[in-house]
Amino acid sequence: MPSSLTPPHVPLAVTGDLRNLVLDTLGREICSGAIGPESTFTTESVEGRFQVSRPVVREALRALEALGLVVSKRRVGVRVQPLAQWNVYDLQVIRWRLAGPSRVAQLRSLTELRGAIEPAAARLAALRAPLNQASELVGLSGRLWAAGREGDTEGFLQLDREFHALVLEMSGNEMFAKMHHLVDEVLSGRTHYGLMPQYPAHEALQMHVDIATAIQAGNAEKAASAMIAIMERTMNEMRSIWEQQATELPSTESDSERS
């Protein structure tokens, strides 16, 4: 049954598509800085720009407000919030940031988060993982090695995502396990934006094997150390990219985009 907010002549599917168009466009523009913090606009201006109904605009703005990107102010309109107010853990916000000029800053934040969480998860996995899951991880590390040596970029990405998700799951900590979506985004972002080599280094492939065998053997310290080594290698690979970007940033860019 159509919503009371939906004009009877507009199919719900079409209304949803229009809402998503407005949401995605404004979300990308805010996350890219094209619409800067403290900028204001009105519901009417969005209606005119997209040629959509007010209910469609309101739905999109409610979604943006739930993500912390905007706030509605009486007699002011819709105000864009600074980065500090955004729900930066939301996958939609992460994807919008990855699609814009703050891509490297977003990848850096996600990589630093991984560095804090994944070694702890690997240590716990060595202590808690069931033998069948540990064996599965060893198998994944072997398939990951093969995909890397063959230059199978998409196959390597999928296996790498599965590998790190399984380590987080095997930690036995449900909050760590839920972080796999964030790891997925940084792995996918590095690959799809050309920040990963087609042929991963032998050392990186060996580190995955080391993690898996340490977890299977129940060696918590070795598992954590091997994961730390992967994170440090990743940070070193990424550091040259974001340092280069920092030198290219215009002087007018906000500090929030530099962080």
Side-chain angles (χ1 to χ4, degrees), residues 12-72:
L12 281 174
V14 173
T15 300
D17 289 344
L18 292 174
R19 176 260 191 194
N20 291 337
L21 170 65
V22 176
L23 173 62
D24 189 60
T25 303
L26 293 178
R28 283 173 179 264
E29 291 177 349
I30 292 169
C31 289
S32 72
I35 304 177
E38 305 304 326
S39 298
T40 60
F41 54 87
T42 64
T43 302
E44 291 78 9
S45 68
V46 179
E47 289 177 46
R49 175 184 174 187
F50 291 95
Q51 294 296 295
V52 294
S53 67
R54 181 160 298 186
V56 167
V57 173
R58 285 176 175 165
E59 286 289 328
L61 294 179
R62 271 198 289 268
L64 290 173
E65 192 159 7
L67 295 173
L69 270 63
V70 302
V71 62
S72 296

Side-chain angles (χ1 to χ4, degrees), residues 134-162:
S135 298
E136 181 183 350
L137 191 70
V138 172
L140 271 174
S141 71
R143 292 163 59 199
L144 192 67
W145 182 292
R149 296 303 295 269
E150 292 168 4
D152 179 4
T153 303
E154 287 300 321
F156 182 88
L157 170 61
Q158 182 57 38
L159 290 166
D160 204 20
R161 291 169 62 181
E162 291 177 20

Side-chain angles (χ1 to χ4, degrees), residues 4 33 42 53 58 68 111 119 123 140 146 169 171 179 186 194 197 204 214 217-218 221 232:
S4 60
T42 64
S53 67
R58 285 176 175 165
T111 301
R123 178 181 284 107
L140 271 174
E169 179 185 341
S171 72
M179 301 295 281
V186 70
E221 292 311 310
E232 288 179 345

Side-chain angles (χ1 to χ4, degrees), residues 165-217:
L166 186 55
V167 172
L168 291 169
E169 179 185 341
M170 289 192 303
S171 72
N173 182 305
E174 74 283 358
M175 299 187 78
F176 281 0
K178 287 295 184 182
M179 301 295 281
H180 80 89
H181 294 298
L182 301 181
V183 177
D184 281 353
E185 292 304 321
V186 70
L187 294 175
S188 298
R190 289 189 66 198
T191 298
H192 294 150
Y193 291 109
L195 302 176
M196 273 285 286
Q198 182 179 1
Y199 295 93
H202 173 91
E203 181 185 12
L205 297 174
Q206 183 61 50
M207 287 173 183
H208 285 80
V209 175
D210 292 345
I211 291 168
T213 54
I215 289 174
Q216 187 182 49

Side-chain angles (χ1 to χ4, degrees), residues 87-129:
N87 181 359
V88 293
Y89 285 95
D90 187 272
L91 293 183
Q92 199 161 30
V93 173
I94 289 171
R95 289 166 185 161
W96 284 331
R97 294 183 71 195
L98 286 174
S102 61
R103 176 180 307 138
V104 172
Q106 175 67 100
L107 286 172
R108 181 176 69 176
S109 296
L110 289 170
T111 301
E112 290 172 347
L113 182 64
R114 288 184 66 196
I117 291 171
E118 291 200 69
R123 178 181 284 107
L124 290 174
L127 299 173
R128 299 174 175 174

